[in-house]
Amino acid sequence: ETRKKLFLDLYFRCGRMADSLQPAAPSIGLTEDIEDVGEREWRFGILKLKFKNKEFEKLYRLFFEKVNRSLLVVVCCLMVFLGAMYFLNFLVQGKFEDIPFDNATVTCGGFDFAYEGNIADKGALPPLLVFIISMVIFAILAVVIALTKTLLTFFSCLVYSLLVVTHYTYYAVLNHHTSSDIFGLMMFIVFVTYTMIPLTLRVSTTLNVTFSIFHIVITAVLADDSQSDVIGHKIGANILLLFATHVLCICYYYISEIGLRKIFYQTKAVVLSQLTIQKQLDKRNRLVRSVLPDFLADSFQEHIMAHSLDQLGGKSGGFHKLQIKTYHNVSIVFADIVGFTKLSSGCTAQELVEILNALFDRFDKLAENFHCLRIKILGDCYYCVSGIPEATSDHAVNCVKMGLAMVEAIKDVQKHTGTDVNMRVGVHTGSALSGVLGSMNKLQFDVWSDDVTAANHMESGGLPGRVHISEFTAKALGDQFQLEPGNGEERDDYLRDHQIKTYLVAVPENPEILTEESVSQSSVNLVENQHATVGYTKDSGRPSVLASVIAAQIGMMGVGLRRPSTNVAMSGEEELEVETLTKFKDTMLGDANLSFFGESEELYKSVIIYKDLNVIKQNMSRPDKLFKLYLLISLFCFVFIYAVQTIMTPRTYVLLGTFFPGFISISIFLILYSLHLLRRHSDVCGNLTFMPLVRLSIYLISNYAVRVAVSVGTIAWVMFAAMINMATCESGDHPGSDGSCNCTTYQEFTNYTSKWSASSTRCQYPQYFFYCALLAMMTTVVFTRLNWIIKSAINLVAASIYTGVILGARNCLFDNFDRAVYGLSIPCSQFFQLKIQAVILLWCLFFALLMIGRQDTLTNRIAYLWQLKNKKDKEDNRLLEEVNLLLVRNIMPDHVAHHFLHQGQQSLGLYSESHDDVCVMFAAIPNFSEFYNESEVNNQGLECLRLLNEIINDFDDILLKKKFSGIQKVKTIGSTYMAASGFHKKHPGLQHVGLMADYAQAMMQGLARINKDSFNDFQLSIGINHGPIVAGVIGAKKPQYDIWGNTVNVASRMYSTNLPGKLQVTEHTAMILEEQGFLIEKRGEVFVKGKGNLVTYFVNGRAR
């Protein structure tokens, strides 16, 4: 069992099962996901990442140059420092007065000098002039590059060219040439070209390889070493050193480019996330405002978000929030399209939705102009109020004008369809309760009061083409309109029972509503927008020409129709890509400094340490999957250092004895840090022998402290290898009387030296220790995840030790080399001593490594900050998407929600679809009107609505059960609940009709529980019908989903003609339910308005 547990644990660690369960994250604009590079770091083709989008690749190159601009300035400053040190050395260096030569006039680098003694300062003048001139040029370049924001590629090439010219000019003025002359400067130039000059890898490699080959050839041809047999050894050692330097720098280039591309990628991802989040917020805001008016939307935003997050987290709330307010002195408008059934029967789904959208969109603009608030659209009925949320004394006038304008607008439909459609408008004035009912998943904004009920009956008791108002509205109008007797009580029982006197508003000969500038402008805007959005239909997928013309004419009102726009709307992804590219370009290359260059709230920029301790811990815990590459490069340089010393320094037991322990220890760590790669092979994962080693490898990669210790140990071995063999060298020195080292004189040295031999312990070419020291210090650059302070401390100690050895303990080796060179040539062969040259270059390299290490650490720190921000933004975006999905499900089915959530801003068009077999249900509480009371005890009806809110919430909660997932709540109308099913074929055949009946029974049971708790006797009257319907979303600004058709009308009549506590269905629906095991009871013939007598049935639940 233990072995099995270990195996399963390792199996999960291997990531094979986890990878198979989780879909791969999309890579934005990359051929490979950067985060996955660490798993395949051995394949350099993968490391060389390129962005798919050429524009992003160009931006990356500009970003790369911008980031490395500071390093290019540092290169110029280092060359100024180098020249200054040469000049200072020229002023203070000592002379070897024991080297004899005859007084003569000699030519040195083209200059004639007369000598009257031993070596003089003038002997170094030609090489000195080279560095003084280059120092001035580099100083000017440093200032120009720092102040210039463009032409960085030109400046990079110029700096490189000057480095090469300086190198070869200096070599040319030497009167005596050896194959190892100024080779340290050569290595330094190659190193800074790869690591500090912003050129592409291809360009850098081409230039440096050409430069290196040319240097090897030139020095071999021009070398005039006194011992010709050593030239081959020198050239071989030089080739090894250059090859190691090239490989080291190329590997670093790849590693550092990964870091920069990570920053670039993460920055783009953050910009994309921020834009996506903003779009999601805009969508959420628009969706909330499609359900709630502006004055409620802002206050409900946070509550909706919190509730959605709780729901996503599996939490459930207690008593439901109620936000309802009482408003006095308001007027309510109900407007119904008379003849809508005939109109809809002659249109396709898309045509019907386009006509309604144009008409209701026109109504929305009229409502805005007349300071009315649209409450909701009920099929072909539009109702709004004036006086909510802001009180106005003109509320009655506004509503009457609104009604007259609606009657006028419908005439365009009459004209262009040839159908007898009209508007029947009712207006009533009084008070109203306004707010939100329903669960947070199914919010519904509405108004309630007896006056709202009266306004509804004013519409039903009105006349087509007229505005029907109550006596209360007439009093509020004053004498602004001519009124005629309405006689509404003759047409509506409610008006008669409540003794409401009514009037008809006479249509003015020149209606003011048609001459208002605001209305005309509204019409123009409608025409402008009419063809800007192309309708989408599930049926045909193309807009209807007839419906488009009608829709345009509805909004035209005498204004010339414009030509449809021919611009092709971009998809949501294309639009987002364009916006991302634009904002990303401004972010990365704008005038404002990036956080990469400027101050940061998250970092102490002086030491590049996170301010947040938790971020520090998280960053340390990140595995470094490229660490094995660092070790491989270090081992490579370690081997080449020993190879060079084997060629050019004494072959001693010390050399051999220190090589194997270092090689073995670094190799062991390399193997341990690579064993985790075996997890990709199932046969190895299943082999219990390798389990501890793989587990250890995973631990080593993830443990920051161990990585630091191994890094320091590895670097120490490499740096130790560069100088250890120097201890075995015979320098020809002899101790003085005080025990100090007294170097031999020139005459003693010439007598001491003999033919060069690699087997001898006489180190006649100590410069190769110095060259190995340069390579050893360069090795630290590849440890990019090692903190720059630690690397700088290591290099500082190493440079100090090397300096002490060169200038102190073993300075005789370098002095003897100088004597040998000066003895073979005239005084201008070396303008300063080898040991001084070595020390200056070592410290130049130290400062270069200091700046590179600092930038590498800064790159890694900021990349991780961007990664954290991107991760947080993605999580926020995911939550917003889920919240938006919950919100959009509040107003439309899931498949329609998907359409609206995944389209671009320019394509927010219509949506329409037709279905053959949709089941529609209306459930009303007929005796709630008796319960509703606007007395002081009920807080003007607020407490009654609180109970209604609980009832509706209970119905919504039942709908959330998985069993009823195929049922969509359409809307609530007062105490009436409307739902539909069959939009998706989640269930075969017509089983969704049976599920709707089950839901109706569940609603009755839920209401019974509420009755028991609240001591009430509410009863549901439910009507169900199934058949073809037209569904769609109307309103681009405030989209609302609705369904239309004869099936809906008959379902509405089923509940309005029903008995309390019963579920009534039509005959063909009853047959379907009976086949599915429901108990059916025939009621008989019932008169249905507009249909005549229909045979209906009661459904008494499923048979046991």
Side-chain angles (χ1 to χ4, degrees), residues 744-1005:
T744 60
T745 65
Y746 173 75
Q747 189 61 44
E748 291 175 337
F749 180 75
T750 55
N751 296 331
Y752 171 79
T753 57
S754 60
K755 187 175 181 180
W756 180 83
S757 173
S759 61
S760 172
T761 59
R762 299 166 187 170
C763 301
Q764 294 175 253
Y765 299 97
Q767 64 267 42
Y768 283 93
F769 290 113
F770 153 56
Y771 300 154
C772 290
L774 288 178
L775 180 59
M777 290 182 63
M778 290 176 185
T779 305
T780 61
V781 77
V782 298
F783 291 83
T784 55
R785 286 281 297 275
L786 187 62
N787 189 286
W788 75 283
I789 297 177
I790 298 176
K791 284 199 293 187
S792 299
I794 295 173
N795 286 320
L796 179 62
V797 171
S800 300
I801 293 175
Y802 290 158
T803 300
V805 171
I806 294 172
L807 296 181
R810 307 300 288 169
N811 67 77
C812 296
L813 293 174
F814 296 88
D815 286 344
N816 289 336
F817 176 81
D818 289 334
R819 285 188 172 89
V821 173
Y822 286 136
L824 294 171
S825 65
I826 60 175
C828 60
S829 61
Q830 290 282 95
F831 86 93
F832 68 91
Q833 301 174 43
L834 174 63
K835 60 185 179 184
I836 302 300
Q837 177 191 14
V839 170
I840 292 176
L841 277 178
L842 279 172
W843 286 102
C844 282
L845 180 61
F846 166 77
F847 288 116
L849 291 170
L850 175 70
M851 299 306 298
I852 295 171
R854 192 177 189 280
Q855 177 150 305
D856 286 340
T857 300
L858 184 60
T859 299
N860 282 302
R861 296 289 188 269
I862 292 182
Y864 186 59
L865 286 177
W866 281 116
Q867 182 179 339
L868 291 179
K869 183 171 179 57
N870 185 33
K871 182 178 179 181
K872 181 180 181 300
D873 287 346
K874 283 183 177 179
E875 181 64 19
D876 292 343
N877 185 43
R878 183 186 65 82
L879 291 176
L880 280 173
E881 284 182 347
E882 292 179 351
V883 169
N884 285 347
L885 184 58
L886 292 175
L887 286 172
V888 80
R889 284 174 175 171
N890 184 62
I891 56 175
M892 57 188 73
D894 292 350
H895 66 289
V896 185
H898 182 272
H899 168 73
F900 274 84
L901 286 176
H902 293 83
Q903 58 183 332
Q905 193 68 23
Q906 301 300 324
S907 58
L908 292 178
L910 309 178
Y911 184 93
S912 62
E913 58 186 5
S914 58
H915 298 275
D916 295 330
D917 292 300
V918 170
C919 186
V920 182
M921 180 201 74
F922 285 86
I925 307 175
N927 56 341
F928 183 81
S929 58
E930 302 172 5
F931 170 78
Y932 181 81
N933 189 292
E934 297 181 358
S935 63
E936 291 292 335
V937 177
N938 286 321
N939 195 11
Q940 284 78 42
L942 184 62
E943 297 306 319
C944 300
L945 292 181
R946 189 182 303 278
L947 182 57
L948 178 61
N949 185 48
E950 290 302 310
I951 294 173
I952 294 176
N953 269 282
D954 188 71
F955 294 165
D956 290 343
D957 292 341
I958 296 173
L959 202 58
L960 292 176
K961 294 181 179 180
K962 185 176 181 180
K963 177 181 179 181
F964 303 124
S965 61
I967 301 175
Q968 174 70 30
K969 175 184 177 181
V970 180
K971 68 184 73 173
T972 56
I973 311 158
S975 61
T976 302
Y977 194 98
M978 180 182 178
S981 66
F983 297 108
H984 293 294
K985 297 302 181 181
K986 292 186 176 181
H987 306 282
L990 294 175
Q991 288 189 13
H992 66 90
V993 179
L995 289 175
M996 181 67 81
D998 288 334
Y999 176 58
Q1001 297 293 332
M1003 293 173 71
M1004 290 181 176
Q1005 295 170 7

Side-chain angles (χ1 to χ4, degrees), residues 338-511:
V338 180
F340 176 76
T341 302
K342 185 178 180 180
L343 173 66
S344 61
S345 63
C347 298
T348 65
Q350 183 182 356
E351 290 172 344
L352 179 63
V353 170
E354 286 186 359
I355 293 173
L356 286 177
N357 179 72
L359 188 62
F360 289 145
D361 189 45
R362 172 73 193 283
F363 291 169
D364 284 341
K365 288 178 171 63
L366 292 172
E368 183 178 349
N369 288 323
F370 293 122
H371 308 291
C372 294
L373 174 67
R374 186 239 276 183
I375 303 302
K376 64 176 61 176
I377 298 171
L378 306 173
D380 59 340
C381 179
Y382 184 100
Y383 79 100
C384 57
V385 297
S386 181
I388 297 177
E390 296 178 358
T392 175
S393 59
D394 297 332
H395 55 88
V397 175
N398 292 336
C399 287
V400 170
K401 288 183 177 181
M402 176 74 184
L404 292 172
M406 295 169 81
V407 171
E408 193 67 26
I410 199 68
K411 292 180 181 179
D412 290 299
V413 181
Q414 294 176 350
K415 178 179 178 181
H416 292 281
T417 61
T419 56
D420 187 18
V421 293
N422 216 323
M423 294 299 298
R424 186 171 57 224
V425 183
V427 183
H428 179 65
T429 300
S431 61
L433 293 164
S434 176
V436 178
L437 291 185
S439 68
M440 285 296 155
N441 300 308
K442 298 293 180 182
L443 285 174
Q444 291 283 321
F445 173 74
D446 212 338
V447 292
W448 307 267
S449 71
D450 291 334
D451 291 315
V452 174
T453 304
N456 190 9
H457 286 277
M458 289 299 302
E459 178 272 317
S460 60
L463 296 175
R466 303 300 298 272
V467 178
H468 190 212
I469 66 173
S470 67
E471 58 182 321
F472 303 100
T473 304
K475 292 179 182 179
L477 288 175
D479 57 356
Q480 295 194 41
F481 292 90
Q482 293 182 1
L483 303 179
E484 303 170 359
N487 303 319
E489 66 279 3
E490 297 177 2
R491 296 182 295 274
D492 190 274
D493 295 339
Y494 181 91
L495 299 178
R496 182 181 64 251
D497 295 341
H498 290 78
Q499 299 180 355
I500 299 176
K501 189 176 181 180
T502 66
Y503 299 89
L504 295 174
V505 178
V507 179
E509 294 181 3
N510 297 309

Side-chain angles (χ1 to χ4, degrees), residues 248-275:
L248 168 70
C249 293
I250 290 173
C251 291
Y252 168 76
Y253 192 102
Y254 276 113
I255 295 171
S256 63
E257 185 170 5
I258 288 175
L260 282 179
R261 285 187 181 270
K262 273 188 177 182
I263 285 186
F264 192 80
Y265 169 76
Q266 295 291 355
T267 304
K268 182 203 171 186
V270 168
V271 170
L272 179 63
S273 296
Q274 290 175 346
L275 286 175

Side-chain angles (χ1 to χ4, degrees), residues 125-182:
L125 186 58
L128 179 63
L129 289 176
V130 173
F131 280 99
I132 289 177
I133 294 172
S134 68
M135 179 176 67
V136 174
I137 295 175
F138 279 113
I140 296 173
L141 267 180
V143 176
V144 173
I145 294 172
L147 298 178
T148 306
K149 296 182 179 180
T150 57
L151 301 175
L152 193 61
T153 302
F154 167 76
F155 286 124
S156 299
C157 295
L158 180 60
V159 168
Y160 177 79
S161 300
L162 288 173
L163 288 173
V164 174
V165 170
T166 300
H167 175 270
Y168 283 120
T169 304
Y170 175 42
Y171 184 79
V173 298
L174 296 178
N175 217 34
H176 173 74
H177 303 100
T178 69
S179 55
S180 61
D181 280 338
I182 62 171

